[in-house]
Amino acid sequence: ENDIIIAKITPCVENGKCALAKGLTNGLGMGSSEFHVIRANTANFMPEYLFTLLNRKSARLAAQKTMTGKSGHRRVPASFYEQFPIPVVSQKKQQQFVAKIEAIVKRIAEAQAFISEGSIKKGAIMKKYL
């Protein structure tokens, strides 16, 4: 629960395959060996804060530059995340940051639902009049 999983192999790294594990049955999860699993030191960092920082496009691009291995089987080494600079800010600032991100994500979901609903309504109108 609250661990961050980030794909380590190409092309999943480039595609941004990662998640913050929440709401797990019994608080346990299982996955591929092709994930880096990062657990936040909750005394200093909110898992949501770390997840947002690690899931940024700039972080993924930096990770890609460190990949090792042959084409098609390139992987981000664990050392990338061990050395990744995390801005240390107060818990209050982290909470504010996370709240802003969650509000944006909510607005995006609402916009996507609105677009989807519009498409359904358009189909119904087309069916009725054509």
Side-chain angles (χ1 to χ4, degrees):
E1 190 73 20
N2 289 316
D3 285 350
I4 300 162
I5 58 170
I6 302 176
K8 64 169 91 167
I9 193 166
T10 192
C12 298
V13 173
E14 295 87 339
N15 296 336
K17 303 293 187 216
C18 60
L20 176 58
K22 286 197 156 274
L24 303 173
T25 302
N26 298 323
L28 301 172
M30 293 182 280
S32 167
S33 62
E34 297 296 346
F35 292 117
H36 289 292
V37 180
I38 299 168
R39 180 165 295 159
N41 175 344
T42 55
N44 299 317
F45 298 106
M46 294 175 60
E48 298 85 355
Y49 173 72
L50 286 179
F51 174 73
T52 301
L53 293 176
L54 296 172
N55 191 31
R56 293 175 302 160
K57 185 175 182 177
S58 60
R60 290 194 309 271
L61 290 172
Q64 288 174 42
K65 291 178 183 176
T66 68
M67 291 179 117
T68 60
K70 296 183 181 197
S71 179
H73 294 285
R74 295 173 43 82
R75 290 175 176 82
V76 177
S79 60
F80 172 78
Y81 293 105
E82 292 167 354
Q83 298 168 11
F84 190 83
I86 302 292
V88 179
V89 297
S90 69
Q91 288 284 335
K92 182 177 179 180
K93 288 217 184 262
Q94 288 181 49
Q95 290 168 347
Q96 291 170 342
F97 177 79
V98 168
K100 284 182 183 181
I101 296 297
E102 288 175 348
I104 292 168
V105 168
K106 181 180 177 186
R107 288 178 56 201
I108 290 169
E110 289 168 352
Q112 288 171 331
F114 181 77
I115 291 167
S116 179
E117 182 180 308
S119 180
I120 292 167
K121 287 180 180 180
K122 176 185 173 187
I125 291 169
M126 299 288 282
K127 183 177 179 181
K128 181 176 179 178
Y129 294 105
L130 295 179

